[in-house]
Amino acid sequence: MRRVRFNRQAGGAAAALLVSLAGVGFSAHAGLSRTPDLASNRITAQQDADEPQHFPGAALLYAEEAGDDGKSTTVGATGTVALPDLPAGVQPALAEADASIRPAAPFMLRGTTLDKARALQCLTTAIYYEAATEPDDGQAAVAQVILNRVRHPTFPGSVCGVVYQGSQRRGCQFSFACDGALARAPARVPWERARRAAARALAGQVFAPVGLATHYHTYAVTPAWNRSLVMTGMFGAHLFHRWKGWWGTPAAFTRSYVGGEPLPEPHAPAAPIQQVTIDVAVAARTAALLAATPPAPATVQPAHVESGEVRAAYAAPAESQILDRWKDSGKPLR
């Protein structure tokens, strides 16, 4: 996979060009924070000691091209999955491409208090590391994609499951879960802004312009899968896409959210299967030895003994071994 990297000195001009295309007011200087100006829907820069040098979410500055299979983890883009066959009863005519953009239904957050806390944590994390420097529309669109995936049968049915899908095998659907971005502590002000965006989406607020999009990528990358999807819009630094045909229509989003959120962190890798090496020669000798060994004689079970009957093996011998002074004494031996 060919990587395209922009450093702070040599790539400054290129980064500025990409950012201007995205419409994001981003400064490449260390120590600057992007505080949200919610009234004007813009990001302004000001000093903030919490700001890391390489700001998480600045995917335009850390671009990586996708592989030809369209499934490679790509900074600034979601991954994709293979679609199953159409459900029984769906006519091919209903699966034709539809150019209209239909808003998603409001998301209904159910489950336990723990489920709700984990969902908020995971959605906040995704918005922060994917779109922390973007305007409100960009963050709302990213949140909508994640919630759309939760309700689509081809993706996990929980918020944390969607956000960290594939992390157990280093094949993340969202690159920040695998590329080490989580090792960088989030900056306080942008994190709180991302949390508010997540809370609004989980409370049922719908970002209608993005429609039923389940994929996105930044202007800096062109993953192979975008040729097989329908673009629904451009918001912030990303272009958003939905499935073609029936899988991209409201009828396909059939899953109801019921909770069951996993831990809000990358999934633990599955334990590897222990491989057992068998020496063929040793196995052959063992089999031959077992075949040559005569079976043990069968054990004959004693017949059933009726109550009160004394077996011969336990009967008193003909000549008693008990001293006369102790016979019939009725007293225990001391």
Side-chain angles (χ1 to χ4, degrees):
M1 180 183 296
R2 184 169 65 89
R3 294 176 179 270
V4 182
R5 296 295 185 200
F6 298 90
N7 59 35
R8 304 178 86 74
Q9 288 81 24
L17 175 60
L18 291 174
V19 171
S20 65
L21 289 174
V24 180
F26 181 89
S27 172
H29 297 291
L32 293 183
S33 173
R34 292 85 193 151
T35 303
D37 180 356
L38 301 181
S40 60
N41 199 31
R42 291 185 294 107
I43 308 295
T44 59
Q46 71 177 30
Q47 290 294 128
D48 187 342
D50 293 336
E51 173 66 26
Q53 284 192 343
H54 298 285
F55 191 76
L60 290 174
L61 300 183
Y62 297 92
E64 178 178 305
E65 288 188 352
D68 293 337
D69 60 0
K71 297 180 181 180
S72 300
T73 301
T74 306
V75 176
T78 60
T80 189
V81 295
L83 282 171
D85 295 334
L86 289 174
V90 176
Q91 300 298 322
L94 298 177
E96 294 299 323
D98 181 0
S100 64
I101 297 177
R102 306 180 187 182
F107 187 80
M108 303 297 293
L109 182 60
R110 297 185 174 90
T112 65
T113 301
L114 180 60
D115 286 329
K116 295 176 181 178
R118 287 179 173 180
L120 178 61
Q121 175 75 11
C122 289
L123 190 56
T124 300
T125 301
I127 294 172
Y128 178 84
Y129 286 101
E130 294 287 295
T133 62
E134 295 186 26
D136 290 352
D137 283 358
Q139 292 196 347
V142 167
Q144 191 64 59
V145 163
I146 293 170
L147 298 186
N148 286 350
R149 285 192 170 203
V150 172
R151 291 183 292 194
H152 200 280
T154 59
F155 297 101
S158 64
V159 177
C160 294
V162 165
V163 169
Y164 292 108
Q165 183 181 8
S167 58
Q168 71 276 13
R169 60 180 184 275
R170 305 294 295 176
C172 295
Q173 292 285 303
F174 295 87
S175 60
F176 74 87
C178 285
D179 65 5
L182 291 171
R184 300 191 297 266
R188 177 181 52 82
V189 172
W191 175 267
E192 284 302 314
R193 178 169 173 255
R195 187 189 62 79
R196 290 193 295 271
R200 289 193 293 269
L202 292 172
Q205 180 172 311
V206 175
F207 186 66
V210 82
L212 298 171
T214 47
H215 299 70
Y216 61 74
H217 63 85
T218 69
Y219 294 87
V221 297
T222 306
W225 50 251
N226 78 338
R227 295 189 293 271
S228 62
L229 304 180
V230 178
M231 192 174 77
T232 61
M234 299 177 288
F235 306 98
H238 292 94
L239 286 75
F240 293 82
H241 306 262
R242 65 164 172 80
W243 295 112
K244 283 184 178 179
W246 184 85
W247 287 111
T249 66
F253 292 76
T254 56
R255 183 189 288 121
S256 297
Y257 177 80
V258 295
E261 293 287 345
L263 289 172
E265 60 188 25
H267 304 322
I273 299 175
Q274 297 295 328
Q275 299 294 330
V276 180
T277 302
I278 299 177
D279 189 316
V280 177
V282 172
R285 288 196 298 271
T286 303
L289 179 61
L290 292 175
T293 303
T299 302
V300 178
Q301 296 295 330
H304 178 67
V305 178
E306 296 294 337
S307 178
E309 181 181 350
V310 178
R311 299 189 185 197
Y314 301 105
E319 184 177 348
S320 176
Q321 302 297 312
I322 301 177
L323 297 177
D324 292 340
R325 66 175 178 271
W326 296 112
K327 288 181 178 179
D328 302 322
S329 66
K331 298 178 181 178
L333 296 176
R334 298 182 184 276

